[in-house]
């Protein structure tokens, strides 16, 4: 039984409510008993009046019973008032418990909300971090790209130097050689794909110009 | 209340020798007892089949001047015992029974229904409120003895729906149903 009982908790409020209800029950019992007593005495009174229709007013027993009835009724009134008070108290407690639940709900919601907000703060940090990382990554990319282009330039430079050496050997001017090289394959091999060749041409051009400038700088 | 016509039939009061007929006779008696207790809201009877607390004895019919002898009453009550239509009231010293025109499980379900329809779940409710409170007046279990109520509520506890609260003398007096 202990195991089964422990499944459902009995709180302090439950115990308090139980005590209130016990007193409410005993008052309820009392009012029922008293009202049935009053009924009985009324019946008794009526029969007494019937028995002596003329002299009943002088009968002390009749007067006594009527007084008793009045007194019992007075007590009954009091008991009913008390009962109402107890019932009010019980419903107040009940309502307070509901309010408590409502309050707890609000509190819990607030706790969760602040917790979530805190988590979002962390996320801000992370976002900053990510931003930094992205910036760093693009820096790396840039550096790498520069490096790669540097290598290309270096290769170009070597090409140029070789060209210069070739010119020196063959006695020709370098500008003629450079302009002839890109035009020859684009016209002969791919005549239909004009757009593609144009694009290729535009792509190649800056490199070529760079290539042209490089030696000038060197010189 | 008007009892069924068979109640005024003299052979009902004599133990029939034929087993098949006797079985039917006992069935009729059980039917009469259950019907009567249900309508008059009688919860208890003693070992001689006399209804308590007003000592109404259905086995004695003065209008037709017949009565059932004690041995046959015992036989009828034994049948009711084995069919769980009466159970021992082991609350007091006297040898009395509770009469159940509904079995204990049905009573438990009905009380649970009351808890649900009157919004009394998750609240402390005293046995007195169940049996005598103003809110149970129109329910069949109103006026049920509190010991029988506590017996029935044990079923709800076993079903895991309730827990019993005790008073300062360690007596079961209230229940909390969830």
């Amino acid at each position: 039984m202990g195991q089964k009982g422990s499944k459902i908790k009995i709180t302090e409020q439950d115990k308090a409510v139980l005590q209130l209800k016990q007193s409410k029950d005993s008052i309820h019992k009392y009012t029922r008993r008293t009202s049935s007593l009053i009924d009985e005495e009324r019946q008794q009174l009526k029969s007494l009046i019937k028995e002596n229709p003329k002299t009943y007013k002088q009968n002390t027993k009749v007067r006594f019973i009527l007084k008793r009835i009045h007194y019992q009724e007075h007590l009954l009134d009091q008991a009913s008032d008390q009962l109402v008070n107890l019932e009010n108290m019980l419903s107040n407690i009940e309502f307070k418990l509901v309010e408590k639940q409502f309050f707890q709900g609000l509190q819990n919601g607030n706790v969760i909300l602040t917790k979530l907000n805190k988590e979002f703060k962390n996320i801000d940090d992370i976002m900053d971090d990510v931003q930094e990382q992205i910036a760093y990554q693009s820096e790396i990319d840039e550096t790498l790209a520069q490096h790669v282009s540097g290598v290309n330039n270096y290769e170009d430079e070597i090409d140029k130097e070789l060209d210069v050496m070739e010119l020196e050997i063959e006695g020709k001017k370098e500008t003629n050689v450079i302009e002839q090289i890109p035009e020859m394959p684009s016209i002969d091999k791919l005549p239909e794909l004009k757009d593609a060749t144009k694009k290729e041409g535009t792509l190649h051009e800056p490199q070529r110009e760079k290539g042209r400038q490089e030696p000038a700088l060197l010189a | 209340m008007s009892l069924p016509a068979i109640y005024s039939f003299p052979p009902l009061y004599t133990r029939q020798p034929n087993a098949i007929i006797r079985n039917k006779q006992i069935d009729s008696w059980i039917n009469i007892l259950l019907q009567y207790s249900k309508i008059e809201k009688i919860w208890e009877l003693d070992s001689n089949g006399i209804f308590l607390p007003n000592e109404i004895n259905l086995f004695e019919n003065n209008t037709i001047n017949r009565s059932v002898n004690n041995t046959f009453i015992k036989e009828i009550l034994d049948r009711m015992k084995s069919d769980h239509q009466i159970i021992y009231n082991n609350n007091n010293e006297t040898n009395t029974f509770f009469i159940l025109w509904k079995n204990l499980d049905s009573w438990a379900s009905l009380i649970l229904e009351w808890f649900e329809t009157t919004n009394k779940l998750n609240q402390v409710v005293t046995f007195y409120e169940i049996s005598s409170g103003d809110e149970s007046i129109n329910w069949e279990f109103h006026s049920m003895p509190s010991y029988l109520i506590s017996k029935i509520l044990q079923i709800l506890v076993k079903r895991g729906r309730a827990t019993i609260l005790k008073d300062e003398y360690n007596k079961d007096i209230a229940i909390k149903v969830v």
Side-chain angles (χ1 to χ4, degrees):
Chain A
M1 234 195 84
Q3 275 184 325
K4 279 159 200 155
S6 63
K7 267 187 199 166
I8 298 153
K9 263 195 214 164
I10 297 169
T11 59
E12 286 302 310
Q13 287 100 326
D14 286 342
K15 282 177 191 164
V17 168
L18 177 60
Q19 278 193 336
L20 279 176
K21 284 206 166 176
Q22 271 179 281
S23 28
K24 195 192 96 180
D25 286 351
S26 51
I27 293 175
H28 191 261
K29 257 183 230 173
Y30 175 78
T31 53
R32 274 171 54 160
R33 210 178 45 226
T34 313
S35 52
S36 68
L37 199 67
I38 290 172
D39 284 347
E40 263 175 45
E41 283 174 347
R42 279 243 160 81
Q43 287 299 324
Q44 212 182 331
L45 198 62
K46 272 180 192 164
S47 59
L48 274 174
I49 292 169
K50 266 182 197 164
E51 277 170 28
N52 336 283
K54 281 169 190 169
T55 56
Y56 72 89
K57 273 185 183 167
Q58 279 77 46
N59 193 336
T60 45
K61 202 182 173 189
V62 169
R63 289 183 165 272
F64 172 69
I65 289 174
L66 195 60
K67 273 180 194 165
R68 251 175 72 105
I69 288 174
H70 283 161
Y71 181 63
Q72 302 275 19
E73 275 174 343
H74 172 66
L75 286 182
L76 194 61
D77 263 7
Q78 275 186 334
S80 309
D81 284 349
Q82 282 173 6
L83 201 61
V84 168
N85 277 339
L86 279 175
E87 266 164 13
N88 277 346
M89 196 164 200
L90 278 169
S91 51
N92 273 340
I93 287 174
E94 219 173 280
F95 185 61
K96 270 278 150 3
L97 284 175
V98 173
E99 277 187 326
K100 196 184 143 200
Q101 260 181 344
F102 163 76
F103 184 66
Q104 270 178 344
L106 275 186
Q107 239 174 358
N108 288 345
N110 191 34
V111 166
I112 289 163
L113 207 61
T114 42
K115 217 177 175 181
L116 283 174
N117 281 342
K118 260 184 202 166
E119 271 174 39
F120 273 108
K121 267 179 199 163
N122 290 343
I123 284 164
D124 275 352
D125 287 348
I126 289 164
M127 287 302 279
D128 283 351
D129 232 33
V130 167
Q131 212 75 51
E132 258 172 55
Q133 292 302 323
I134 288 169
Y136 185 58
Q137 179 63 42
S138 59
E139 230 172 89
I140 290 170
D141 282 349
E142 236 170 84
T143 329
L144 278 178
Q146 274 175 11
H147 201 78
V148 169
S149 68
V151 169
N152 280 350
N153 284 349
Y154 183 60
E155 292 289 330
D156 286 350
E157 275 167 36
I158 285 175
D159 279 348
K160 306 274 156 58
E161 223 175 293
L162 284 173
D163 286 344
V164 170
M165 278 169 83
E166 204 184 320
L167 278 173
E168 273 172 9
I169 294 162
E170 289 182 15
K172 280 183 182 176
K173 282 197 172 180
E174 58 165 346
T175 47
N176 288 341
V177 178
I178 288 158
E179 273 178 18
Q180 273 172 357
I181 289 164
E183 280 169 8
M184 277 170 70
S186 65
I187 294 163
D188 289 353
K189 284 177 185 172
L190 303 158
E192 295 103 335
L193 300 167
K194 280 174 187 171
D195 286 356
T197 48
K198 266 183 193 170
K199 270 182 192 166
E200 260 184 71
T202 50
L203 271 172
H204 282 292
E205 252 172 12
Q207 271 191 352
R208 230 165 45 210
E209 274 177 41
K210 248 186 196 173
R212 235 187 290 169
Q213 280 169 358
E214 247 11 94
L217 278 170
L218 278 171
Chain B
M1 101 166 233
S2 59
L3 286 154
I6 195 168
Y7 188 67
S8 310
F9 182 56
L12 186 72
Y13 297 81
T14 315
R15 185 179 181 272
Q16 298 300 314
N18 182 313
I20 296 165
I21 296 172
R22 190 167 64 246
N23 259 335
K24 291 230 162 167
Q25 187 187 13
I26 292 173
D27 281 345
S28 302
W29 268 117
I30 291 173
N31 195 25
I32 289 166
L33 294 173
L34 293 179
Q35 287 295 317
Y36 189 80
S37 59
K38 182 180 176 172
I39 289 163
E40 297 294 312
K41 284 215 160 186
I42 291 164
W43 303 97
E44 246 181 304
L45 75 173
D46 71 6
S47 55
N48 294 319
I50 295 165
F51 285 130
L52 300 173
N54 293 329
E55 304 208 341
I56 296 158
N57 187 2
L58 282 189
F59 293 110
E60 209 175 275
N61 191 340
N62 291 327
T63 21
I64 57 165
N65 214 1
R66 284 287 193 286
S67 64
V68 182
N69 69 42
N70 278 342
T71 359
F72 190 40
I73 290 175
K74 280 256 147 51
E75 204 179 328
I76 294 167
L77 293 184
D78 282 345
R79 242 286 278 291
M80 290 181 87
K81 228 187 291 175
S82 62
D83 290 349
H84 305 289
Q85 284 154 329
I86 52 171
I87 51 164
Y88 264 118
N89 175 4
N90 36 16
N91 186 35
N92 52 19
E93 307 293 296
T94 56
N95 202 5
T96 62
F97 297 97
F98 288 122
I99 182 158
L100 303 170
W101 63 85
K102 256 185 193 353
N103 66 35
L104 289 176
D105 274 319
S106 308
W107 278 123
S109 300
L110 188 69
I111 291 177
L112 190 61
E113 202 186 314
W114 177 74
F115 270 89
E116 280 163 357
T117 50
T118 55
N119 285 320
K120 294 211 177 298
L121 297 180
N122 232 338
Q123 269 182 40
V124 176
V125 176
T126 59
F127 293 174
Y128 180 82
E129 278 181 284
I130 297 170
S131 70
S132 318
D134 296 333
E135 282 177 90
S136 72
I137 283 172
N138 295 321
W139 290 71
E140 209 176 350
F141 51 80
H142 191 77
S143 82
M144 188 186 269
S146 77
Y147 183 71
L148 184 55
I149 282 189
S150 96
K151 231 182 164 78
I152 289 163
L153 293 177
Q154 289 299 336
I155 293 170
L156 294 183
V157 174
K158 274 193 199 119
R159 287 188 199 165
R161 288 288 308 260
T163 190
I164 301 276
L165 285 89
K166 295 170 186 297
D167 67 358
E168 58 265 42
Y169 309 110
N170 211 28
K171 191 184 167 222
D172 295 349
I173 48 153
I175 189 165
K176 186 177 167 186
V177 182
V178 292

